[in-house]
């Protein structure tokens, strides 16, 4: 059995943050990264490039060649960790190997939820969560004509969240007819406000991607001329849509199977404190798999976004290597790109009526096409708690993200935030803090 | 590590820092070429903000705990061993997550067919960045600071 001072399960955003943090403190401790995937440290958010541009694993590399050597990471790929024996500080790998650890990070991420729709096991039905998934979608397209018969012409995407819509755009870009089936009454309902998600829906429609809302897929049916493959999707209202390829994108859930002993409720992530430590000694967790504190709403929940995964992994790594670091309360943030439309959002974007938030908007209402310059701010108790920017209005929007994170009172200059993000109209005492040598970040 | 700080009391908003930043990052690294040459004129990586009597030039602070680096989904934005934060145009996919993350608003969207993130690079190879060298009022100061990892406490997530 090999001993490592540090073991990291997973090799994505949170793992990268941890590796870089550990090495900034401890250049020599033995460090192992174990991943069931064949490729380590690639950019998951860029996966659709495999479909649209035939991107290879190297094209998606998140860190330059030599990253593993430089950081003296001993990596085990294609190896799943099947069990954590936290009493004896051991990991059991699917390869039969056992590792012992000083400190352990569970950066196991999330898994695509697979809806229990009949026919989901047919060939041509995919999730879009990993490089292997994206490669399988690309292979499924059989764009060369291939041996599987007629060219792939139509796709159905189940789920109108970020991943579903990214997948839909990619399939459209390679020439397919694409329909997205969304159960709620609008796409991106959990991450964007109603006006902007309606705009996204219109832009998709104008570019040949139909989003059918308040609709479900009852069953996937085999292709009569190739019964092992999917051929159509039957909707809740009985309609049948041709579907030579299907992407299941009904959300993700934290992968917490390695701490079964904690008795976590399904769908919940690993509980961690601000050091990213789990209740088990010397076991840390970060990334999509962990529940971190929510700055704006209080409590803890998973923030399944890359920035939170990296930052959480970094904090875990610093603590694992013996430094004190805390992850601050997190704020959701995302950028969206669909057929030339650019949207950036952070925080609370569609506040429930009873939350006492105030909404300010500027620019033409969203819905005037990709060039629309639109900005929406959400305020509560004199502080900015969320915003959505469309088109050029995204410029310098990080200033607004910073105001949310630092919970700055913005009463005195809130109107300026609707026009242009910049320090000039802000009160002198805030401006000076930004311009001082200490600045606002360490 | 190099850092550039602004003395707002003496900034007169002449915008020569923007001009010389543009020139420094143009292909021929010269003023005439940048404005009258064939290539696209680079966007300045420093930006003067003005609200009389206030004015100050704003640029990347090369934070020790850089939100942009943590947020970057492609790996294009990195903190290098010399302590500078650099955007690699070859790896940038123009998703603008860094724009959304930078609390100073110091990252711009580039232009062209495949726009990428544009920010202060502290003029690699030059003893003094162009903005500092050409500020007529000494409003931009280059300071050498000791290496710090940053976070003894928090990490901006
Ligand atoms: C198509 C797509 C697009 C996205 N776009 C964006 C975007 O634009 N912006 C954004 O912020 N986020 C985006 N995300 C989300 C982002 O990719 C995730 O938040 C991020 O990858 C989470 O990183 P992580 O380190 O927590 O884990 P993950 O990236 O989920 O990686 C976890 C790794 O651990 C491995 N693993 C799990 N369990 C084990 C085990 N027992 N043994 C061995 N290995 C194991 C998994 O195979 C996986 O490789 C996107 C995600 C997808 C799928």
């Amino acid at each position: 059995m090999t001993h490592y001072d540090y073991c990291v399960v997973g090799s994505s955003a949170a793992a990268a943050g941890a590796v870089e943090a550990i090495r900034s403190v401890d250049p020599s401790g033995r460090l192992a990264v174990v991943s069931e995937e064949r490729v380590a440290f690639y950019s998951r958010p860029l996966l659709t490039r495999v479909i649209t541009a035939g991107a290879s694993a190297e094209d998606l590399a998140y860190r330059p060649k030599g990253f593993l050597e430089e950081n003296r990471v001993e990596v085990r790929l294609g190896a799943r960790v099947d069990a954590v024996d936290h009493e004896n500080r051991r990991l059991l790998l699917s390869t039969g190997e056992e590792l012992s650890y000083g400190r352990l990070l569970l950066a196991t991420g999330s898994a695509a939820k697979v809806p229990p729709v009949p026919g989901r096991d047919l060939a041509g039905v995919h999730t879009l969560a990993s490089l292997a998934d994206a490669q399988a979608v690309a292979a499924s397209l059989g764009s060369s004509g291939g041996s599987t018969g007629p060219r792939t012409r139509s796709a159905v995407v189940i789920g109108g969240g970020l991943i579903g819509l990214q997948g839909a755009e990619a399939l459209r870009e390679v020439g397919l007819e694409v329909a997205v089936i969304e159960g709620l009454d609008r796409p991106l309902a959990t991450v964007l406000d109603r006006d902007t998600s309606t705009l996204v829906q219109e832009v998709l429609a104008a570019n040949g991607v139909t989003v059918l809302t308040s609709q479900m897929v009852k069953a996937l049916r085999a292709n009569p001329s190739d019964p092992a493959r999917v051929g159509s999707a039957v909707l809740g209202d009985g309609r049948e849509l041709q579907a030579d390829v299907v992407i299941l994108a009904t959300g993700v859930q934290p992968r917490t199977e390695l701490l079964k002993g904690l008795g976590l409720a399904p769908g919940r992530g690993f509980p961690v404190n601000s050091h990213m430590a789990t209740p088990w000694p010397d076991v840390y967790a970060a990334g999509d798999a962990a529940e971190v504190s929510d700055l704006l709403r209080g409590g803890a929940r998973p923030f399944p976004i890359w920035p939170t995964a990296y930052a959480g992994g970094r904090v875990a790594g610093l603590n694992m290597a013996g430094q004190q670091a805390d992850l601050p309360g997190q704020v959701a943030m995302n950028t969206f790109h669909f057929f030339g439309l650019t949207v950036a959002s952070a925080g609370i974007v569609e506040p429930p009526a009873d939350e006492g938030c105030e909404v300010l908007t500027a620019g033409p209402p969203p819905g005037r096409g990709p060039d629309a310059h639109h900005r929406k701010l959400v305020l509560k108790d004199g502080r900015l708690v969320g915003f959505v920017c469309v088109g050029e209005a995204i410029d310098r929007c990080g200033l607004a993200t910073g105001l949310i994170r630092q919970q700055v009172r913005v009463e005195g200059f809130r109107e300026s935030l609707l026009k242009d993000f910049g320090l000039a109209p802000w009160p002198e005492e805030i401006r000076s803090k930004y311009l001082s040598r200490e600045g606002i970040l360490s | 590590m190099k850092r550039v700080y602004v003395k707002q009391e003496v900034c007169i908003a002449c915008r020569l820092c923007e001009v010389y930043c543009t020139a420094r990052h143009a292909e021929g690294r010269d003023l005439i070429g940048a404005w009258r040459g064939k290539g696209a004129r680079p966007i300045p990586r420093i930006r003067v903000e003005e609200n009389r009597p206030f004015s100050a030039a704003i640029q990347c602070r090369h934070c020790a705990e850089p939100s942009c680096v943590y947020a970057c989904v492609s790996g294009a934005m990195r903190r290098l061993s010399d302590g500078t934060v650099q955007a690699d145009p070859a790896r940038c996919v123009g998703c603008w997550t860094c724009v959304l993350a930078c609390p100073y608003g110091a990252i711009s969207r580039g232009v062209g067919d495949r726009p990428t993130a544009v920010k202060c690079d502290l003029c690699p190879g030059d003893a003094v960045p162009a903005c500092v060298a050409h500020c007529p009022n000494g409003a931009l100061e280059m300071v050498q600071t000791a290496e710090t990892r940053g976070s003894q406490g928090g990490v901006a997530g």
Side-chain angles (χ1 to χ4, degrees), chain A residues 13-31:
Chain A
V19 164
E20 292 178 345
I22 290 169
R23 284 299 180 229
S24 73
V25 179
D26 177 357
S28 60
R30 269 190 97 175
L31 168 53

Side-chain angles (χ1 to χ4, degrees), chain A residues 8-16 34-48 76 78-83 92-94 106-111 128-130 133 162-164 166-167 252 255-258 286-290 303-310 333-337, chain B residues 71 73 95 97:
Chain A
V8 177
V9 187
S11 63
S12 188
V34 185
S35 175
E36 65 187 2
E37 289 196 69
R38 300 265 161 210
V39 177
F41 301 113
Y42 66 87
S43 291
R44 206 171 296 282
L46 307 190
L47 278 178
T48 54
R76 283 168 176 68
R80 192 179 59 246
V81 174
D82 281 332
L92 180 62
L93 274 51
S94 56
L106 301 174
T108 49
S110 49
L128 184 52
S130 65
D133 284 348
L162 175 65
I163 294 174
Q166 279 187 12
V252 297
R255 286 191 60 179
T256 55
E257 60 265 24
L258 286 178
D288 283 9
F303 280 74
I305 52 172
W306 190 275
T308 294
Y310 185 94
M333 56 187 241
N334 262 305
T335 62
F336 307 85
H337 305 269
Chain B
V73 303
C95 77
T97 311

Side-chain angles (χ1 to χ4, degrees), chain A residues 323 328 401 405 423-424 436, chain B residues 49 61 91 100 109 149 155 157:
Chain A
Q323 301 246 329
T401 312
R405 284 181 171 157
L423 291 179
S436 70
Chain B
E49 285 207 27
R61 314 260 311 199
R91 297 225 55 83
L100 177 58
R109 296 184 294 141
R149 176 179 57 72
V155 166

